[in-house]
Amino acid sequence: MSVIQIGLVDTTGQLDEDLVRTAAAALNIQVIRDVPQFWPVQGTVIYLPDMRKIPSGVWPVQLVSHLPPNKGGFHRTTHHEPYAKVLATTQNDGWTIAASHEVVEMLVDPYGSRLQNSTAIEIIKEEVRDRPGQFAYLVEACDPCEADTFAYDIQGIAVSDFVTPNYYDPVATPGVRYSFTGAITEPRQVLPGGYVSWIDEEKEECQQLRYLDAAPQIFHLGSPKDNLSLREWVDAQMSGSKLQTTRHISAAPRNHTLLQRCRAHRNELHRIATARAKLFK
């Protein structure tokens, strides 16, 4: 199995270089330690110091100061190589969760059109329930649990939760993990602030369940365009939605408790590293 190389690069010139380096190291732990426990992928994340140089074979995750309103984080070059753009500012550290989201999804579905057939769902009395039939679900590993409420800490960096392949199981099984943190407790569950997209093959239509602040709703998005990956097309349909998408997590994170705890964790690790350096003189 080939190793996918992902590079984290600051294109804004404004972010704390040490924080970006630390984030790249934490994301590397996530894709080496956490993701392969469930998904058959091999990847690494490195820090790229110069946005003008992207080494051959490296897929960049670009930290940017602006994203167009109708663009999501996932993109492809003219050669169909995947890359991502993540909104990042000096005002908060929420961008690390968004960057983790993009990295995990690039590993699990590099080209943005992976589908997995599973039981169809519907909403009855504001609850998501299985129904007869099947949908072809777009495999976006972080979307059902993407709100920063469900993020976790790796060495002082907040990273995104993600679903496991068992998320698409026909029925729940005791002892099975449906997301890495365990926040998702059964197949096809969508947590508050998250969403899941699918193709209704009978209607030849893309649909999406979004769990907004009040209750989940199903949206009919229409037929995807052939010149875009399914993920790119779905992202474009979500412009203006109230979901806590990666764009909003970067700009206005809600889990301030986690981010504060991560900053304290980083400070403690910095003090430990400074003390340890004296041992090697």
Side-chain angles (χ1 to χ4, degrees):
M1 183 184 298
S2 61
V3 177
I4 297 173
Q5 291 183 291
I6 296 175
L8 189 66
V9 57
D10 174 23
T11 72
T12 72
Q14 302 296 319
L15 301 174
D16 177 13
E17 182 178 334
D18 186 58
L19 176 58
V20 180
R21 286 181 181 273
T22 303
L27 296 181
N28 191 49
I29 292 174
Q30 186 180 34
V31 305
I32 290 175
R33 183 193 68 187
D34 300 346
V35 176
Q37 292 185 48
F38 302 97
W39 294 96
V41 298
Q42 285 187 315
T44 61
V45 180
I46 61 174
Y47 168 69
L48 298 179
D50 190 344
M51 65 178 178
R52 297 165 299 181
K53 296 179 181 179
I54 307 297
S56 178
V58 174
W59 297 343
V61 172
Q62 300 171 326
L63 304 176
V64 301
S65 57
H66 174 73
L67 275 176
N70 63 339
K71 293 290 186 180
F74 179 79
H75 301 268
R76 291 179 300 165
T77 68
T78 54
H79 298 144
H80 299 288
E81 290 182 291
Y83 68 102
K85 291 181 181 286
V86 172
L87 188 65
T89 70
T90 58
Q91 278 70 46
N92 64 72
D93 305 336
W95 62 263
T96 68
I97 303 171
S100 166
H101 180 126
E102 297 298 342
V103 166
V104 171
E105 292 196 341
M106 263 207 293
L107 284 171
V108 173
D109 181 17
Y111 301 103
S113 293
R114 180 177 178 178
L115 296 171
Q116 176 65 53
N117 279 67
S118 187
T119 307
I121 56 177
E122 61 184 347
I123 297 175
I124 298 178
K125 296 182 179 180
E126 299 187 348
E127 291 187 2
V128 181
R129 299 183 183 179
D130 290 344
R131 71 167 180 81
Q134 280 199 332
F135 290 150
Y137 291 91
L138 177 60
V139 179
E140 294 188 282
C142 297
D143 290 352
C145 49
E146 76 166 5
D148 59 3
T149 311
F150 310 106
Y152 65 103
D153 176 0
I154 297 179
Q155 294 191 341
I157 297 295
V159 300
S160 179
D161 192 12
F162 58 89
V163 303
T164 73
N166 294 107
Y167 182 77
Y168 305 99
D169 285 354
V171 295
T173 304
V176 170
R177 283 164 73 180
Y178 299 103
S179 76
F180 180 76
T181 69
I184 291 179
T185 59
E186 60 186 14
R188 294 170 299 286
Q189 180 183 15
V190 177
L191 300 178
Y195 65 98
V196 66
S197 309
W198 64 83
I199 300 293
D200 184 329
E201 296 174 304
E202 183 178 358
K203 298 179 179 178
E204 296 185 358
E205 178 188 53
C206 184
Q207 300 170 1
Q208 187 177 76
L209 186 147
R210 303 175 187 171
Y211 197 157
L212 304 176
D213 291 335
Q217 294 178 281
I218 291 178
F219 293 81
H220 298 265
L221 305 183
S223 298
K225 296 180 180 178
D226 291 336
N227 62 328
L228 294 174
S229 73
L230 187 52
R231 184 176 172 193
E232 288 174 293
W233 184 84
V234 167
D235 284 348
Q237 310 312 304
M238 295 175 61
S239 177
S241 75
K242 297 180 181 179
L243 281 168
Q244 180 79 344
T245 61
T246 54
R247 176 197 301 272
H248 298 103
I249 290 171
S250 293
R254 298 177 181 177
N255 196 345
H256 301 293
T257 300
L258 173 63
L259 295 179
Q260 289 173 358
R261 189 167 68 244
C262 284
R263 284 192 287 272
H265 191 181
R266 288 200 303 274
N267 290 336
E268 183 61 29
L269 291 176
H270 175 76
R271 286 191 290 270
I272 293 171
T274 301
R276 287 193 72 247
K278 298 175 182 178
L279 300 175
F280 299 94
K281 291 183 178 179

